[in-house]
Amino acid sequence: MVEIFQNIRKIYRFSTPCEELANYIEFYSQSVLDLSAQYVKNEFSSVKMFPSWTPTFYINLGSPYYIDLKNTRYHVREQQDVLILRNEDVTRHKLPADNIFTVKFNPGGLEAVLGLNQVPVIDKIINLNQILPWELLQKVKRPVSFEERVIIVESFLLEKLIKQVSQDHYVKIVNDSIGEYQATGMQLNTSKVAERLFITSKTINRYFNRVIGTPPKNYFSIVRGRNALTAFVNNRESFVPIDYGYYDLSHFYKDVINLTGQRITKHQF
């Protein structure tokens, strides 16, 4: 299975964060076991995910599985929980008993909520027990509902956010930059975004590398590519490249290859 090109959402349940955490967390999710068992031997035996620079917790509620990252295959044991940044392509190999509870942060969200900079996580798989309390992980692993797991995790993260004395200046500027880029239809380059925030291009580059681990030009390109490709897959006939800052379809197709390493013509929609 390939993220965006295929509908990954039908094998997971999703929940959005509370208002206080909405700027820092994209979603919570959990495997849907009956659908996973039905499809895992066919198109969903693996899930390939493209770069997003979003720190993600994978709390394992089921069987062991494998993750491919940076040309290396990692064995994630039963009961082992991990953090991945997703700065590179990541492939997770699924089994019928696969059951994962996920917390996907926005870029910089890990630092805003838990005070942990995401840059050291680049190209690594981190054991989650180095970050979250053992007691919290055990509560999440109890045989409770998805909704109860969300409450358990969200309560912990909200408490941590409140204890942050003040929002880091670097994180705030990065969040404001991303918001400005998206609010203007992903049409602006890095210099124009910097101008709107009354900072220099040098400053915005330094802040993005400090908080996310990649320059704003690269991150904005990923945001635009992911949004445009999602829109194209959802409704090819109504897709207009210029709406996403592309000159034409050829420009868009080239960007898709840069983002995913795959040609659109390989996939049927």
Side-chain angles (χ1 to χ4, degrees):
M1 177 181 187
V2 181
E3 181 194 20
I4 305 179
F5 287 110
Q6 295 167 286
N7 185 9
I8 190 174
R9 299 185 71 88
K10 64 182 176 182
I11 58 171
Y12 295 96
R13 298 184 62 187
F14 289 87
S15 178
T16 55
C18 64
E19 183 178 353
E20 294 85 348
L21 291 168
N23 288 333
Y24 315 115
I25 295 174
E26 184 176 341
F27 61 71
Y28 310 99
S29 70
Q30 185 175 322
S31 308
V32 177
L33 290 181
D34 54 346
L35 289 178
S36 294
Q38 180 180 352
Y39 292 116
V40 71
K41 292 182 179 179
N42 299 309
E43 60 176 315
F44 299 141
S45 60
S46 67
V47 176
K48 181 175 182 178
M49 298 170 284
F50 302 119
S52 61
W53 292 89
T54 50
T56 306
F57 293 164
Y58 293 94
I59 300 177
N60 193 0
L61 309 174
S63 60
Y65 59 92
Y66 291 92
I67 287 181
D68 295 341
L69 172 66
K70 201 74 175 177
N71 299 317
T72 301
R73 178 160 294 180
Y74 297 88
H75 180 239
V76 181
R77 303 184 305 276
E78 184 178 356
Q79 296 297 316
Q80 183 181 2
D81 313 303
V82 298
L83 162 65
I84 301 175
L85 180 55
R86 290 185 55 186
N87 59 290
E88 295 275 349
D89 288 355
V90 176
T91 298
R92 190 166 66 81
H93 299 276
K94 297 168 57 60
L95 296 170
D98 186 79
N99 190 10
I100 308 292
F101 181 86
T102 302
V103 183
K104 185 180 180 185
F105 289 83
N106 291 320
L110 192 64
E111 185 167 357
V113 177
L114 295 176
L116 300 173
N117 181 256
Q118 69 182 49
V119 176
V121 186
I122 292 174
D123 294 334
K124 296 178 182 177
I125 294 181
I126 307 296
N127 280 325
L128 206 48
N129 58 14
Q130 299 176 17
I131 298 172
L132 299 181
W134 181 87
E135 294 81 4
L136 173 68
L137 292 172
Q138 295 312 302
K139 285 182 180 178
V140 175
K141 292 173 185 288
R142 290 175 183 170
V144 297
S145 67
F146 171 57
E147 291 77 12
E148 289 173 292
R149 288 193 176 95
V150 170
I151 291 172
I152 291 169
V153 172
E154 187 159 86
S155 297
F156 170 81
L157 295 175
L158 190 56
E159 180 181 352
K160 287 293 185 181
L161 176 65
I162 293 172
K163 288 182 178 179
Q164 297 289 332
V165 177
S166 60
Q167 186 182 10
D168 185 275
H169 176 66
Y170 288 88
V171 175
K172 184 179 186 306
I173 292 296
V174 168
N175 284 341
D176 289 348
S177 300
I178 294 171
E180 194 70 31
Y181 179 70
Q182 293 175 325
T184 53
M186 296 173 283
Q187 305 284 336
L188 302 181
N189 59 27
T190 300
S191 297
K192 291 297 183 182
V193 172
E195 285 180 13
R196 285 173 173 263
L197 297 176
F198 305 102
I199 58 177
T200 66
S201 295
K202 185 177 179 180
T203 297
I204 195 174
N205 271 278
R206 186 172 73 252
Y207 282 20
F208 266 75
N209 279 290
R210 155 68 176 75
V211 172
I212 298 181
T214 194
K217 181 179 179 180
N218 182 53
Y219 180 73
F220 290 155
S221 177
I222 289 172
V223 170
R224 180 176 71 168
R226 292 178 66 92
N227 278 273
L229 180 55
T230 299
F232 179 86
V233 170
N234 288 339
N235 194 334
R236 184 171 185 169
E237 298 302 320
S238 65
F239 179 76
V240 180
I242 197 172
D243 289 346
Y244 298 88
Y246 295 107
Y247 304 125
D248 51 30
L249 276 175
S250 295
H251 186 201
F252 166 63
Y253 290 159
K254 182 179 179 180
D255 205 36
V256 170
I257 294 174
N258 290 334
L259 173 65
T260 69
Q262 301 186 22
R263 296 182 181 276
I264 287 178
T265 52
K266 281 184 57 179
H267 299 271
Q268 300 293 325
F269 305 115

